[in-house]
């Protein structure tokens, strides 16, 4: 009987512990700080704020919670408009719906795959003509790649509309030397298990507006009034990060730069090893940016390669390799069907094209070179006809 050997699974982006985390967790155990507050939470907030150079940070139990609180702080309410990148994970826009507000999606542009300044401008012009400007703009830095911040910030400033920078995937990235996440009125990071550094689950809201951060923290802890008993005047949330999770985060932050360097090296290796396949085009990076390359992504010219993205993904799956489609744009999601999207080109939506032709490759910073060469070998086999 023929024996079938299954090769070890290669995951898209698994957690990568450094070992330093245990020091902070043990400390929390010793002190019995097993709660959604404590010394690790305070220290992690200060360390993140120092790291990216902002006045303050609030540690939360998810990046989604951070986006939600930022929208609340910006006064987003029922019926308001919020502009948001379309090519992103659903969590970027779900909090708009929590507030009963209306998302308006903005297409990507080809050189960053992020929000198109041209489409944003058009959305603003039409909103102004209709006398209904958005309350906020959510700009996403896809797969750790900074968006065209100069152009986007300048357009939002022209209309005096605040920005929430969704840097869930781009902690550690730089745009013209400035940390990703620090360009808007609020910045958001995620520490989900698949992110560049993790707390198992968690997020951070950052800002230079310490008054707003204090209010966000108040709302994140059930909005308890300062009274000698449990009194509440506003709707609150249970959104704080636990002291154990924050301990993991502190240990992870110590190796952030190393993790970014490794992910960039993984991207460079894919690029070098697949450079001779003309049907593949990697996600580009602007010259003055330093992306985290959280996930290495490329598009395939399906006709030139004579292969579809679906076929490639199925083939990799059959080899026990986890790869994924690029995010399905939010304006194509059944959930957001009734909302408007502004395209980069009149005749073509870039986000739709990237979804149709794009794939994300395993990019974990703990993937071995042998594992990466296995991924590369199978892509080459299939695309060069030896599959
Ligand atoms: C672009 C983007 N925004 C927001 C989030 C939400 O973060 P979280 O999973 O921590 O709620 C994620 C990741 O999960 C993300 O990738």
């Amino acid at each position: 009987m023929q024996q079938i050997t299954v090769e070890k699974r290669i995951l898209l982006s698994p957690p990568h512990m450094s070992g330093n985390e245990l020091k902070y967790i043990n400390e929390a155990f010793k002190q019995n700080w097993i709660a959604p507050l404590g010394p690790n939470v305070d220290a992690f907030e200060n360390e993140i704020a120092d790291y990216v150079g902002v006045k303050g940070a609030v540690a939360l139990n998810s990046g989604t919670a951070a986006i939600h609180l930022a929208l609340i702080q910006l006064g987003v309410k029922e019926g308001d408009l919020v502009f948001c990148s379309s090519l992103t994970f659903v969590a970027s826009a779900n909090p708009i719906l929590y507030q009963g507000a209306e998302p308006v999606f903005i297409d990507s542009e080809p050189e960053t795959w992020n929000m198109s300044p041209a489409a944003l401008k058009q959305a603003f012009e039409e909103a102004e003509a209709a006398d209904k400007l958005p309350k906020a703009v959510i700009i996403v830095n896809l797969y750790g790649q900074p968006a065209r911040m100069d152009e986007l910030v300048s357009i939002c400033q022209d209309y005096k509309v605040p920005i929430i920078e969704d840097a869930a995937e781009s902690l550690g990235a730089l745009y013209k030397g400035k940390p990703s996440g620090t360009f808007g009125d609020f910045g958001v990071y995620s520490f989900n298990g698949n992110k560049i550094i993790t707390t198992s689950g968690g997020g951070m809201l950052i800002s230079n507006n310490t008054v707003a951060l204090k209010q966000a923290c108040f709302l994140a802890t059930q909005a308890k009034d300062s009274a000698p008993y449990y009194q509440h005047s506003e709707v609150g949330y249970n959104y704080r990060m636990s002291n154990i999770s924050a301990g993991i985060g502190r240990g992870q932050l110590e190796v952030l730069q190393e993790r970014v360097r490794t992910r960039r090296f993984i991207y460079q290796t894919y690029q070098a090893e697949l450079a001779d396949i003309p049907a593949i085009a990697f996600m580009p990076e602007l010259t003055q940016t330093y992306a985290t390359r959280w996930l290495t992504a490329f598009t395939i010219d399906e006709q030139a390669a004579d292969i579809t993205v679906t076929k490639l993904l199925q083939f990799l799956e059959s080899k026990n390799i986890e790869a994924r489609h690029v995010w399905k744009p939010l304006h194509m999601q059944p959930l957001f069907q009734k909302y408007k999207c502004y395209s980069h080109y009149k005749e073509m939506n870039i986000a739709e094209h990237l979804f149709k032709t794009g794939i994300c490759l395993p990019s974990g910073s703990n993937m071995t070179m042998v594992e990466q060469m296995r991924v590369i070998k199978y892509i080459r086999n299939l695309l060069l006809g030896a599959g």
Side-chain angles (χ1 to χ4, degrees), residues 23-314:
K23 166 175 81 186
Y24 300 107
I25 296 172
N26 286 337
E27 198 61 24
F29 268 69
K30 259 193 252 154
Q31 298 168 343
N32 206 27
W33 274 111
I34 316 293
L37 78 166
N40 280 333
V41 176
D42 298 343
F44 190 36
E45 289 174 343
N46 291 334
E47 286 161 6
I48 287 278
D50 284 353
Y51 189 86
V52 297
V54 292
K55 288 195 181 144
V58 178
L60 300 164
N61 55 17
S62 70
T64 312
I67 297 172
H68 188 198
L69 292 173
L71 290 171
I72 295 172
Q73 290 311 300
L74 294 173
V76 173
K77 294 195 186 67
E78 196 171 345
D80 287 336
L81 297 185
V82 176
F83 291 176
C84 181
S85 305
S86 186
L87 191 60
T88 182
F89 182 50
V90 69
S92 300
N94 264 340
I96 303 171
L97 299 187
Y98 301 167
Q99 287 306 100
E102 199 180 305
V104 173
F105 295 109
I106 312 293
D107 193 12
S108 299
E109 58 88 32
E111 282 170 1
T112 58
W113 296 17
N114 281 310
M115 189 182 275
S116 153
L120 178 67
K121 198 149 188 287
Q122 203 204 332
F124 263 119
E125 282 166 5
E126 286 189 21
E128 189 177 45
D131 201 19
K132 193 170 179 189
L133 285 175
K135 275 280 184 71
V137 178
I138 301 174
I139 302 174
V140 178
N141 301 290
L142 190 72
Y143 303 136
Q145 163 88 281
R148 286 188 174 278
M149 295 317 289
D150 279 352
E151 295 94 319
L152 297 172
V153 169
S154 152
I155 295 167
C156 294
Q157 277 172 351
D158 286 348
Y159 290 91
K160 298 188 173 49
V161 173
I163 294 170
I164 299 168
E165 199 187 349
D166 182 347
E169 302 168 2
S170 63
L171 175 60
L174 301 169
Y175 175 89
K176 298 189 176 172
K178 190 170 151 70
S180 189
T182 64
F183 287 81
D185 298 73
F186 292 97
V188 169
Y189 299 120
S190 167
F191 306 113
N192 195 296
N194 62 3
K195 292 297 181 297
I196 205 142
I197 61 168
T198 182
T199 59
S200 76
M204 192 75 79
L205 179 66
I206 63 155
S207 180
N208 285 315
N209 184 343
T210 49
V211 176
L213 286 181
K214 200 163 169 229
Q215 179 64 13
C217 190
F218 167 75
L219 294 180
T221 41
Q222 304 287 20
K224 186 175 170 295
D225 293 342
S226 61
Y229 30 73
Y230 287 97
Q231 177 176 294
H232 306 270
S233 312
E234 284 178 70
V235 177
Y237 304 88
N238 184 4
Y239 275 174
R240 281 294 260 167
M241 181 182 281
S242 93
N243 195 50
I244 301 296
S245 300
I248 303 176
R250 293 183 72 191
Q252 288 270 284
L253 189 58
E254 290 174 10
V255 293
L256 171 62
Q257 281 183 10
E258 208 177 303
R259 297 289 184 261
V260 173
R261 275 198 297 273
T262 305
R263 296 225 183 209
R264 287 181 63 88
F265 180 71
I266 286 169
Y267 154 72
Q268 282 154 7
T269 305
Y270 277 129
Q271 216 229 6
E273 296 292 330
L274 300 170
D276 59 330
I277 306 180
I280 288 180
F282 284 88
M283 182 188 202
E285 187 175 341
L286 298 179
T287 48
Q288 288 173 293
T289 59
Y290 180 79
T292 62
R293 295 287 177 182
W294 171 55
L295 297 182
T296 290
F298 66 60
T299 54
I300 306 176
D301 180 337
E302 292 184 334
Q303 269 177 333
D306 197 21
I307 195 112
T308 62
V309 166
T310 308
K311 179 92 195 293
L312 176 55
L313 288 173
Q314 281 167 352

